[in-house]
Amino acid sequence: QSVDNLTSSVKRMAAGLATAYLSAQGIRAAIEAADTFISTQARLDLIVDEGQSVEQLRDMIFSASQRARGDFNAMADNVSRLGLLAKDAFESTAELIAFTEIMQKAFKVSGASITEQAAAMYQLSQAMASGRLQGDEFVSIMENAPMLAAAMADYLGVSRGELKELSSEGKLTADVIKGALFAAADDINKKFEEMPKTFGDVFQGFKNEAFNAFEPVFQRMNDWLNSAQGSAMIQSITNAIYVAAQAANVLLNILILIGDVIYNNWNLIEPIFFMIMGILGSAIIPLLWAMIKPVEMFAVSVLAASWPILPLGAAI
């Protein structure tokens, strides 16, 4: 019964700790999601077309990410990077999003991992910004984006082996990359549609929908953070941190002072200390000796009562 009660108590405590941990993790996740949203909004605001709003651009990227079964935040990051680094290579944000969507589908068909996709998109952004694909960027695309490499070879009417020579000659320009990808779009879309959805695809779709649905919440969180009330609360927390630091410093100084007093006056404190210990010892030691006999008798009785089960315990 005691063990059952203890187990129940431990379970309740564990459940309470787990709830507290999950609540803290939930708050942390919400804050991180809000920061991601605001950061994405700010970068997209830098690449919007004339007469286009950030909300319209976000909706276009969201729709593209759902069609490509990709992460909305990752696609928004790719779109904003391409828009900032290589905006002149695209006629509009619509063309930029279409380019990113086809690349995402190509990654999906080729089975590229998240890490490989990120590496390839980073190198592709650099290539589009510089106006040509060569060097390490070419190697990364060949390794991590084989469908794009194949599309460029078909577009130029050369073998994949000849692409390296063209790359070294600077002939794989941004226009070639874009033209090759759009020329292969129908084939990539066909192969993509033939791929069955996975649980990961469905879950990613849920994540995208949740992020999109919570957009008003994230916006309100950011508005509050930048409001007078939010600034006042942050300042109050900042002041409290400094007050706590000052209090800790005072406490530490007191402890150091006490330690210095004891150290510098130990020759006076030592005899007093041992005198007190002697008085306490003379009173406590007889009591301890008096307890030994009852404890010994109790131990013998417990041993006698428990003896039948001890061999079983030893065997186990």
Side-chain angles (χ1 to χ4, degrees), residues 149-173:
M152 287 189 293
D154 293 339
Y155 185 74
L156 296 172
V158 298
S159 67
R160 294 187 60 177
E162 293 173 308
L163 281 178
K164 185 175 183 181
E165 184 178 348
L166 294 176
S167 170
S168 62
E169 295 173 357
K171 294 182 178 180
L172 299 183
T173 63

Side-chain angles (χ1 to χ4, degrees), residues 236-252:
S236 297
I237 295 174
T238 302
N239 294 338
I241 291 173
Y242 280 97
V243 170
Q246 292 173 358
N249 188 50
V250 171
L251 177 60
L252 180 61

Side-chain angles (χ1 to χ4, degrees), residues 285-299:
I285 290 175
L287 294 176
L288 294 176
W289 277 110
M291 291 173 61
I292 290 178
K293 190 65 177 177
V295 170
E296 180 184 359
M297 294 176 63
F298 176 74

Side-chain angles (χ1 to χ4, degrees), residues 27-51:
I27 294 172
R28 178 181 175 182
I31 293 174
E32 289 178 349
D35 286 348
T36 300
F37 170 79
I38 297 303
S39 176
T40 300
Q41 288 279 96
R43 284 182 289 125
L44 292 180
D45 189 41
L46 299 175
I47 66 169
V48 291
D49 293 331
E50 186 176 352

Side-chain angles (χ1 to χ4, degrees), residues 122-134:
Y122 177 80
Q123 296 294 349
L124 184 58
S125 300
Q126 298 295 320
M128 297 296 285
S130 65
R132 57 182 52 84
L133 178 65
Q134 54 189 173

Side-chain angles (χ1 to χ4, degrees), residues 8-127:
S8 299
S9 299
V10 171
K11 286 181 178 179
R12 285 195 300 272
M13 181 176 67
L17 290 173
T19 301
Y21 174 76
L22 291 176
S23 298
Q25 290 295 97
I27 294 172
R28 178 181 175 182
I31 293 174
E32 289 178 349
D35 286 348
T36 300
F37 170 79
I38 297 303
S39 176
T40 300
Q41 288 279 96
R43 284 182 289 125
L44 292 180
D45 189 41
L46 299 175
I47 66 169
V48 291
D49 293 331
E50 186 176 352
Q52 184 184 46
S53 68
V54 178
E55 288 72 24
Q56 290 172 329
L57 181 57
R58 272 191 67 257
D59 290 342
M60 292 169 63
I61 297 173
F62 171 75
S63 298
S65 67
Q66 291 294 77
R67 290 192 298 267
R69 308 177 200 171
D71 185 294
F72 164 75
N73 289 316
M75 183 169 287
D77 184 62
N78 292 330
V79 169
S80 60
R81 185 187 298 111
L82 279 170
L84 290 171
L85 297 179
K87 190 170 185 178
D88 293 339
F90 301 94
E91 296 180 359
S92 64
T93 54
E95 186 181 57
L96 174 56
I97 293 171
F99 180 88
T100 309
E101 179 183 345
I102 298 171
M103 276 302 306
Q104 174 62 39
K105 291 178 178 178
F107 285 137
K108 198 75 175 178
V109 173
S110 63
S113 66
I114 299 298
T115 304
E116 291 170 340
Q117 293 178 34
M121 283 304 301
Y122 177 80
Q123 296 294 349
L124 184 58
S125 300
Q126 298 295 320

